[in-house]
């Protein structure tokens, strides 16, 4: 498995502002993902962070709201833009280490975001 | 789109008892994965099943993948307090991984 760190671990932000979350992996990985998990809920994939190209977003998520960077194979950022209370959630980055066909996920510790 | 349904949503178990959580997909899956999330923690990968009818064991946990590759189960025997948490299944199809809603397990000592 890989060691995945996220910063910040938590934050309280005012509506209308933006927060950038960082995800660092201790080894080079091809596939990195960003998920959202609202309290007591399941995991929802926001996007796949592609190295050297634009992220691939899932239905319901757009680049203007959740811009993603992936400058190299060990690092990615997710920005939550123009925040509203509905964006309060846990944001998790994950990597897939297995065969490209298996998609098994290894998650970072998450960033708990509260928007007031 | 692909949906993965998981039941029950909550499981309250007496310590020492067995229980099972079930995962069902509307479509055939390439694989099924199981994760455990402890309270306040992040999801941790447990296991992956790929073959039709596959059964895998991890100590007191038994994972099964249905013959049609549309359903899966996780059976825990002799439940312990360390089993507390939420167990998620996730089905892979067409390079899309869909998570079930999870089964949250509490244990009565």
């Amino acid at each position: 498995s890989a060691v995945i760190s996220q910063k910040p671990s938590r934050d309280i932000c005012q509506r209308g502002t933006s927060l950038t979350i960082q995800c660092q992996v201790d080894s080079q990985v091809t596939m990195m993902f960003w998920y959202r998990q609202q309290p007591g809920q399941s995991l929802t994939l926001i996007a796949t962070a592609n190295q050297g190209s634009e992220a691939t977003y899932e239905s319901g998520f757009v680049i203007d709201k959740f811009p993603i960077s992936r400058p190299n194979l060990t690092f990615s950022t997710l920005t939550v833009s123009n925040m509203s209370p509905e964006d309060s959630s846990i944001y998790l980055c994950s990597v897939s280490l297995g065969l490209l066909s298996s998609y098994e996920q290894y998650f970072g510790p998450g960033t708990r975001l509260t928007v007031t | 789109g692909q949906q993965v349904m998981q039941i029950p949503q909550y499981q309250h178990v007496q310590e020492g008892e067995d229980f099972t959580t079930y995962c069902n997909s509307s479509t055939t899956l390439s694989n099924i994965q199981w994760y455990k999330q402890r309270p306040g923690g992040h999801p941790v990968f447990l296991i992956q099943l790929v073959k039709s009818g596959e059964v895998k064991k991890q100590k007191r946990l038994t994972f099964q993948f249905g013959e049609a590759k549309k359903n899966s189960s996780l059976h825990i025997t002799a439940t312990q307090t360390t089993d507390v948490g939420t167990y998620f299944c996730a089905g892979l199809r067409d390079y899309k991984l869909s998570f079930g809603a999870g089964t949250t397990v509490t244990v009565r000592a």
Side-chain angles (χ1 to χ4, degrees):
Chain A
S1 63
V3 176
I4 305 167
S5 60
Q6 280 185 238
K7 289 194 296 186
S9 58
R10 57 178 62 226
D11 207 342
I12 300 173
C13 301
Q14 290 192 343
R15 69 177 67 206
T17 63
S18 298
L19 176 72
T20 295
I21 302 167
Q22 299 179 6
C23 179
Q24 180 75 53
V25 189
D26 69 342
S27 58
Q28 292 187 340
V29 294
T30 303
M31 308 192 76
M32 290 182 76
F33 307 89
W34 286 97
Y35 286 83
R36 183 171 72 184
Q37 185 178 31
Q38 294 177 316
Q41 302 296 313
S42 187
L43 297 130
T44 302
L45 180 63
I46 297 171
T48 302
N50 301 308
Q51 194 267 330
S53 64
E54 273 194 5
T56 305
Y57 290 84
E58 298 301 307
S59 176
F61 298 96
V62 295
I63 188 171
D64 290 345
K65 175 68 176 176
F66 297 101
I68 287 170
S69 79
R70 178 92 192 268
N72 56 54
L73 293 176
T74 63
F75 186 78
S76 178
T77 67
L78 168 75
T79 299
V80 187
S81 303
N82 188 25
M83 288 183 284
S84 66
E86 292 71 33
D87 295 320
S88 296
S89 190
I90 297 172
Y91 292 85
L92 298 132
C93 71
S94 74
V95 303
S96 184
L97 299 178
L99 293 174
L100 287 179
S101 60
S102 73
Y103 273 60
E104 59 191 65
Q105 306 281 299
Y106 293 87
F107 289 89
T111 296
R112 184 179 295 271
L113 170 63
T114 303
V115 183
T116 59
Chain B
Q2 177 186 332
Q3 284 194 339
V4 175
M5 309 300 292
Q6 196 172 348
I7 56 169
Q9 185 177 2
Y10 298 100
Q11 184 80 55
H12 307 290
V13 189
Q14 181 72 41
E15 190 174 16
E17 289 184 343
D18 303 350
F19 75 90
T20 304
T21 175
Y22 300 90
C23 186
N24 293 289
S25 169
S26 56
T27 55
T28 303
L29 301 169
S30 300
N31 70 45
I32 191 91
Q33 303 170 21
W34 286 90
Y35 296 80
K36 178 181 179 181
Q37 185 172 25
R38 295 182 186 274
H42 59 275
V44 174
F45 175 77
L46 293 178
I47 209 161
Q48 175 183 254
L49 304 168
V50 179
K51 299 176 182 176
S52 169
E54 189 170 14
V55 178
K56 287 187 177 180
K57 292 190 175 184
Q58 288 182 348
K59 298 182 180 178
R60 294 178 295 102
L61 278 60
T62 301
F63 304 84
Q64 289 189 316
F65 200 10
E67 294 290 340
K69 299 184 70 172
K70 287 186 174 182
N71 54 70
S72 181
S73 64
L74 161 59
H75 182 77
I76 299 182
T77 58
T79 304
Q80 299 176 359
T81 55
T82 53
D83 296 324
V84 164
T86 301
Y87 294 83
F88 292 99
C89 64
L92 180 68
R93 177 183 169 90
D94 295 334
Y95 301 103
K96 295 281 188 182
L97 191 64
S98 296
F99 281 83
T103 295
T104 297
V105 177
T106 55
V107 179
R108 300 189 300 273

